[in-house]
Amino acid sequence: HQHDTTNKELLCQTFGKHIEVAKIHHELATAVKQDKTASIAKLRECIKKFAKAAQYYKLAQAYERQVECIHLARLVGLQIQFKQQNQNINILNLSPDEVERFLSEHTIFFESYVLGCAYGKSNLSPYVFRACITRDNMDYFEDYRSIYL
């Protein structure tokens, strides 16, 4: 299977089909991301596939897809971090309700930011408000400010 993928990639590159190569890597990375039992090594490979897809999307001038792959690579990186710290937190393939719950309850802004970007949550201000007002977490606000203000 890996040999077939490599041959297809080389063929697409030869004919300047950057979008096709990007899709190959994007699909391979997505398959790994959907496996909730994926090892850290598999998740690291997933990041590499998302990064490669992002490079090819850039060559194809598909910038929104490029950014999507970058956000997903960062999300997978955060999942690796949680696994390495023995935290029983799964952030891959969340439902909309699970995304909402994570953003509402999580106490570290930069981690919430990574998750929010990957799941298309562009307005994090309600979660900042909740963290600052109801939980008195001013570090969360300071981190938010470092990005947005």
Side-chain angles (χ1 to χ4, degrees):
H1 180 61
Q2 176 64 31
H3 183 66
D4 291 341
T5 301
T6 303
N7 286 341
K8 188 174 181 183
E9 181 179 343
L10 289 172
L11 184 64
C12 290
Q13 286 175 345
T14 301
F15 292 102
K17 301 290 185 186
H18 301 299
I19 196 78
E20 296 302 322
V21 177
K23 287 178 184 177
I24 290 168
H25 290 288
H26 194 158
E27 289 169 8
L28 290 170
T30 300
V32 172
K33 184 180 77 67
Q34 291 175 343
D35 179 4
K36 292 190 181 211
T37 63
S39 67
I40 289 176
K42 284 271 190 194
L43 292 174
R44 284 191 178 123
E45 284 300 313
C46 179
I47 291 172
K48 290 177 186 175
K49 293 289 183 196
F50 277 130
K52 202 161 200 167
Q55 290 172 336
Y56 282 106
Y57 280 131
K58 181 181 178 184
L59 291 172
Q61 298 179 348
Y63 301 118
E64 286 182 21
R65 298 291 291 194
Q66 175 194 17
V67 170
E68 175 189 347
C69 286
I70 292 168
H71 289 317
L72 290 172
R74 288 179 181 153
L75 182 72
V76 174
L78 183 58
Q79 183 65 68
I80 290 171
Q81 178 183 317
F82 288 154
K83 281 184 175 231
Q84 289 174 329
Q85 295 171 348
N86 293 320
Q87 295 183 40
N88 191 21
I89 301 172
N90 176 48
I91 57 172
L92 302 178
N93 307 309
L94 299 181
S95 69
D97 288 342
E98 291 170 321
V99 170
E100 187 67 30
R101 189 173 325 112
F102 182 93
L103 292 173
S104 295
E105 297 172 1
H106 202 64
T107 59
I108 300 171
F109 173 76
F110 290 117
E111 293 172 355
S112 295
Y113 177 76
V114 167
L115 186 122
C117 289
Y119 285 98
K121 293 282 194 176
S122 58
N123 181 11
L124 297 178
S125 58
Y127 311 108
V128 174
F129 177 81
R130 195 170 296 128
C132 296
I133 302 304
T134 62
R135 292 193 304 263
D136 196 31
N137 184 348
M138 293 311 291
D139 290 337
Y140 198 96
F141 177 70
E142 289 303 319
D143 292 340
Y144 169 83
R145 248 178 43 148
S146 73
I147 291 178
Y148 288 106
L149 303 177

